[in-house]
């Protein structure tokens, strides 16, 4: 499982492109998709904030930290966010033998 695999799973789930996840757009829907994807990458791949920043369109590590914190907070507060997390995580989890 790679960061691109998770990004593609998220893009399919949200009905957007990989370019939307990596791009500069800051609309609510795209930010939600991007922040959830960042959090799943951090949790699943244990990537550093700096590496995540590079993977997500060369964003600053503080942007990544803020996005992940927001996604985790919203997951607890919103059923929609929690459902999005579950759907993407079910596809993104590595298979264990």
């Amino acid at each position: 499982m790679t960061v691109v695999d998770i990004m593609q799973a998220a893009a399919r789930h949200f009905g957007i492109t990989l370019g939307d996840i990596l791009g500069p757009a800051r609309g609510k829907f795209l930010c939600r998709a991007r922040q959830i994807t960042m959090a799943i990458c951090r949790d699943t791949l244990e990537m550093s904030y700096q590496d995540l920043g590079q993977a997500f369109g060369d964003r600053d590590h503080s942007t990544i930290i803020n996005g992940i914190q927001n996604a985790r907070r919203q997951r607890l507060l919103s059923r929609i966010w929690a459902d999005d997390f579950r759907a993407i995580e079910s596809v993104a989890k590595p298979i264990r033998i």
Side-chain angles (χ1 to χ4, degrees):
M1 184 67 48
T2 68
V3 67
V4 174
D5 294 331
I6 295 170
M7 287 178 180
Q8 289 174 337
R12 278 191 304 275
H13 172 75
F14 287 107
I16 59 177
T17 67
L18 194 57
D20 291 330
I21 290 177
L22 298 174
R26 293 173 54 176
K28 264 186 167 181
F29 183 74
L30 292 179
C31 282
R32 182 173 104 214
R34 190 178 299 126
Q35 289 173 354
I36 289 171
T37 307
M38 289 174 185
I40 292 171
C41 286
R42 173 76 174 166
D43 296 341
T44 304
L45 304 175
E46 300 177 352
M47 294 175 70
S48 72
Y49 295 119
Q50 202 165 22
D51 288 344
L52 281 169
Q54 289 177 349
F56 279 84
D58 206 27
R59 287 177 162 78
D60 187 75
H61 76 281
S62 62
T63 301
I64 301 298
I65 292 168
N66 184 56
I68 290 172
Q69 287 174 344
N70 184 58
R72 289 175 176 163
R73 183 173 47 254
Q74 291 300 324
R75 181 182 197 169
L76 298 174
L77 299 174
S78 168
R79 185 174 189 188
I80 294 170
W81 282 66
D83 290 346
D84 289 337
F85 263 96
R86 273 192 292 280
I88 298 164
E89 285 173 336
S90 70
V91 175
K93 283 189 178 176
I95 300 171
R96 294 213 162 101
I97 300 174

